[in-house]
Amino acid sequence: MNILIVDDDSELLEQLQRGLERKQYRIETAENGEKALDKIFEITYDLILLDIMLPRMDGLSVLRHMRQAGLNTPVLMLTARGDVEDRVKGLDYGADDYLAKPFSMAELMARIRALLRRDGKRNTVLTAGPLSLNTISRTVTLDNVPVSLTSKEFSILEFLLHNKGSAVSRFNMAEHVWGNEFDPFSMSNFVDVHIKNLRKKITANGGKNAAIIRTIRGIGFIIDDAP
Amino acid sequence: MNILIVDDDSELLEQLQRGLERKQYRIETAENGEKALDKIFEITYDLILLDIMLPRMDGLSVLRHMRQAGLNTPVLMLTARGDVEDRVKGLDYGADDYLAKPFSMAELMARIRALLRRDGKRNTVLTAGPLSLNTISRTVTLDNVPVSLTSKEFSILEFLLHNKGSAVSRFNMAEHVWGNEFDPFSMSNFVDVHIKNLRKKITANGGKNAAIIRTIRGIGFIIDDAP
DNA sequence: TTCGATCTTCACGATTTCTTCATAAAGGCC
DNA sequence: GGCCTTTATGAAGAAATCGTGAAGATCGAA
């Protein structure tokens, strides 16, 4: 799960990042509205924590821009305690929930879980043939037998399943899984290596399940839509 | 998605091209109005980014010409900041949106998405007779039987189908499929070779489907519009 | 800090794909 | 039918891509 946190209070930012990373979320941050928007259009996030008060374009504008562009990523607004007006505006603009500062980490976690769990659109269980992946518990099973994946392997498989039926380029994959740590000019084949290891694991029981992840030469990989 | 970018600032052109290609768009460029118009009438684009200030025929004229000819490809105008007048004229002439320079990549992405989303879901499945090509999953079927194509073969077929009903020159084809790597002075017949292989593959089942791709002597190739 | 797991980098072989080239076939024009 | 231009084709060498094992780097928990 990729989460973008947008806040100009760098201390709070760090604190949130640490706390959420501990829960296995992939975190990226932005400390002003412009940078936030840049990132939002660049990478697909599963959730955005958006402070209202921001330098260089406030949170509401960011929200308006992204909704106008048709992005329906869930947004959790962070507002100062009294700002009833902003809060209402935010919900009007398409925010999904809000949280008044100061808040407890526990409260935040609860809201995040709720938003991520929500709408059946974001399915928590993704499948392909005998393969099943649960995004909440971060577990994978093959023919109902648990398979143990590393963090990167899991993210890659999750991304492929999330885009089941469409060819995914190495570039997109890297962008999504590695986020801003991804060096677009890297000549390494780290994606291929992870794919190899992933295939090995989902073929462990001897079947020919490696074919679940199909290579598209010159492009990347795909998990076919089940017929 | 095919996008044509028309701008005389070669630096900006390159920058936009790189950024958009990274997002899986297929980009072609033109640095003046005449060349732009040539291309627009030759090839079907999904979107055109059109600078107003251009040498050898300004953007507004280009726009007027193409609209007069009945082409309703979405056009996103790029204007200098102050040019309210041109902007209004542009919208009058049938531009779909405008963006004032200088703009951020994020903003541009947002507008592009909005425009492409607009006229309904873009067609991801292109067909011609028994032939069907899915641009998302990058698969091709002939009489519902999967056909395995190489990367170049796929791109060529996609391009032909995208321009179904109009003849496509070797030059345009090469320019589009090979992009920057295309050497306009090459004397090789690599396009013909790929066409040959392509025909062979879509004739595999014994039918006379090779005729789907028809040669136009002196020009190039065409896939006819279904009657 | 140490140790084990995970991640990244690298080099190489197997395979596929692309390009080039020579020649054959086909089309158009007189 | 000849003659010239354009297109089709087969084959071969060049280039690119993918999968893989293994070594080193990095991370994280004890």
Side-chain angles (χ1 to χ4, degrees):
Chain A
M1 288 293 174
N2 288 340
I3 299 182
L4 176 67
I5 311 177
V6 190
D7 203 307
D8 56 326
D9 176 350
S10 65
E11 203 170 321
L12 178 64
L13 212 57
E14 243 176 76
Q15 195 187 332
L16 289 177
Q17 175 161 19
R18 263 201 311 278
L20 289 170
E21 276 176 346
R22 199 169 300 151
K23 296 285 181 193
Q24 307 281 4
Y25 295 114
R26 252 198 61 76
I27 304 299
E28 286 184 32
T29 61
E31 63 278 2
N32 68 52
E34 281 185 5
K35 288 191 184 176
L37 214 51
D38 276 347
K39 293 198 158 197
I40 290 170
F41 285 124
E42 204 174 323
I43 294 177
T44 309
Y45 295 98
D46 298 292
L47 175 66
I48 298 171
L49 301 188
L50 184 60
D51 191 16
I52 294 294
M53 295 287 290
L54 286 174
R56 334 204 74 220
M57 182 184 299
D58 68 289
L60 288 176
S61 302
V62 171
L63 181 58
R64 205 156 33 84
H65 270 87
M66 58 177 283
R67 291 296 188 234
Q68 242 165 29
L71 287 178
N72 58 351
T73 314
V75 170
L76 174 52
M77 273 194 309
L78 308 177
T79 70
R81 176 156 299 290
D83 281 349
V84 184
E85 205 175 309
D86 278 354
R87 191 180 298 165
V88 172
K89 240 189 242 168
L91 293 174
D92 270 355
Y93 286 173
D96 297 85
D97 198 358
Y98 64 86
L99 200 52
K101 289 185 184 181
F103 49 80
S104 75
M105 203 62 185
E107 176 117 30
L108 179 62
M109 288 297 177
R111 301 293 183 93
I112 288 178
R113 267 199 304 271
L115 277 179
L116 288 179
R117 188 189 333 265
R118 196 163 91 179
D119 55 7
K121 254 192 309 184
R122 276 239 179 287
N123 215 339
T124 62
V125 176
L126 305 166
T127 64
L131 201 65
S132 170
L133 179 149
N134 186 317
T135 58
I136 300 282
S137 61
R138 287 186 76 82
T139 54
V140 174
T141 61
L142 184 66
D143 289 324
N144 297 314
V145 180
V147 179
S148 147
L149 299 186
T150 71
S151 148
K152 290 281 187 288
E153 286 161 8
F154 184 90
S155 297
I156 287 175
L157 186 58
E158 181 183 13
F159 189 58
L160 281 171
L161 284 169
H162 205 258
N163 293 289
K164 188 159 69 164
S166 67
V168 174
S169 72
R170 286 160 224 274
F171 192 95
N172 274 342
M173 215 148 119
E175 202 172 65
H176 186 265
V177 173
W178 277 263
N180 49 7
E181 287 129 65
F182 165 52
D183 165 19
F185 300 110
S186 165
M187 293 273 89
S188 275
N189 63 340
F190 50 91
V191 169
D192 301 64
V193 174
H194 283 296
I195 291 281
K196 181 202 68 173
N197 295 331
L198 197 44
R199 280 177 172 157
K200 196 181 218 166
K201 286 188 180 177
I202 65 179
T203 324
N205 64 0
K208 50 203 262 195
N209 289 322
I212 289 178
I213 301 176
R214 197 157 56 79
T215 303
I216 299 195
R217 206 154 215 278
I219 302 289
F221 303 91
I222 186 175
I223 290 184
D224 289 304
D225 230 344
Chain B
M1 290 299 169
N2 292 335
I3 299 182
L4 175 67
I5 312 177
V6 190
D7 203 308
D8 55 328
D9 176 350
S10 65
E11 203 171 320
L12 178 65
L13 212 57
E14 237 177 83
Q15 195 186 334
L16 290 178
Q17 176 161 18
R18 263 202 310 278
L20 289 171
E21 274 177 346
R22 193 170 296 168
K23 291 292 174 194
Q24 312 274 10
Y25 296 114
R26 258 216 155 285
I27 305 300
E28 288 184 31
T29 61
E31 63 278 2
N32 69 52
E34 283 184 4
K35 288 191 184 175
L37 215 51
D38 278 350
K39 291 199 159 200
I40 290 170
F41 283 125
E42 241 164 9
I43 293 176
T44 310
Y45 295 97
D46 297 297
L47 175 67
I48 298 171
L49 301 188
L50 185 60
D51 190 17
I52 293 293
M53 295 287 290
L54 286 175
R56 334 204 75 221
M57 181 184 300
D58 70 288
L60 288 176
S61 303
V62 173
L63 180 58
R64 207 154 34 83
H65 271 87
M66 58 177 284
R67 289 299 186 232
Q68 248 164 26
L71 285 178
N72 59 350
T73 314
V75 170
L76 174 53
M77 273 194 310
L78 308 178
T79 70
R81 181 159 293 292
D83 280 350
V84 184
E85 206 175 307
D86 278 354
R87 191 180 298 164
V88 172
K89 242 189 240 169
L91 293 174
D92 271 355
Y93 286 173
D96 298 84
D97 199 356
Y98 65 86
L99 198 52
K101 288 186 185 181
F103 49 81
S104 75
M105 202 63 186
E107 180 111 29
L108 179 63
M109 288 295 176
R111 302 296 181 92
I112 288 179
R113 271 189 217 227
L115 279 179
L116 288 179
R117 182 189 321 276
R118 198 154 84 183
D119 45 4
K121 283 158 262 164
R122 284 266 139 191
N123 217 0
T124 63
V125 177
L126 306 166
T127 64
L131 201 66
S132 169
L133 179 149
N134 186 320
T135 57
I136 298 290
S137 62
R138 284 189 80 85
T139 53
V140 174
T141 61
L142 184 65
D143 289 323
N144 295 316
V145 180
V147 179
S148 148
L149 300 186
T150 72
S151 172
K152 291 278 188 289
E153 287 161 7
F154 184 90
S155 297
I156 287 174
L157 184 58
E158 180 182 14
F159 189 57
L160 282 171
L161 285 170
H162 201 261
N163 292 284
K164 187 161 71 164
S166 65
V168 174
S169 72
R170 284 161 226 273
F171 190 91
N172 275 338
M173 215 147 118
E175 203 178 17
H176 179 86
V177 173
W178 277 261
N180 307 333
E181 291 122 73
F182 167 52
D183 166 19
F185 301 110
S186 164
M187 292 273 87
S188 275
N189 63 339
F190 51 91
V191 169
D192 301 64
V193 175
H194 282 295
I195 291 281
K196 181 204 70 176
N197 295 331
L198 198 44
R199 280 176 170 157
K200 193 182 216 166
K201 286 188 180 177
I202 64 180
T203 323
N205 64 359
K208 50 204 264 195
N209 289 322
I212 290 178
I213 300 175
R214 198 155 57 78
T215 303
I216 298 196
R217 199 149 222 277
I219 305 287
F221 303 92
I222 186 175
I223 290 184
D224 289 304
D225 233 343

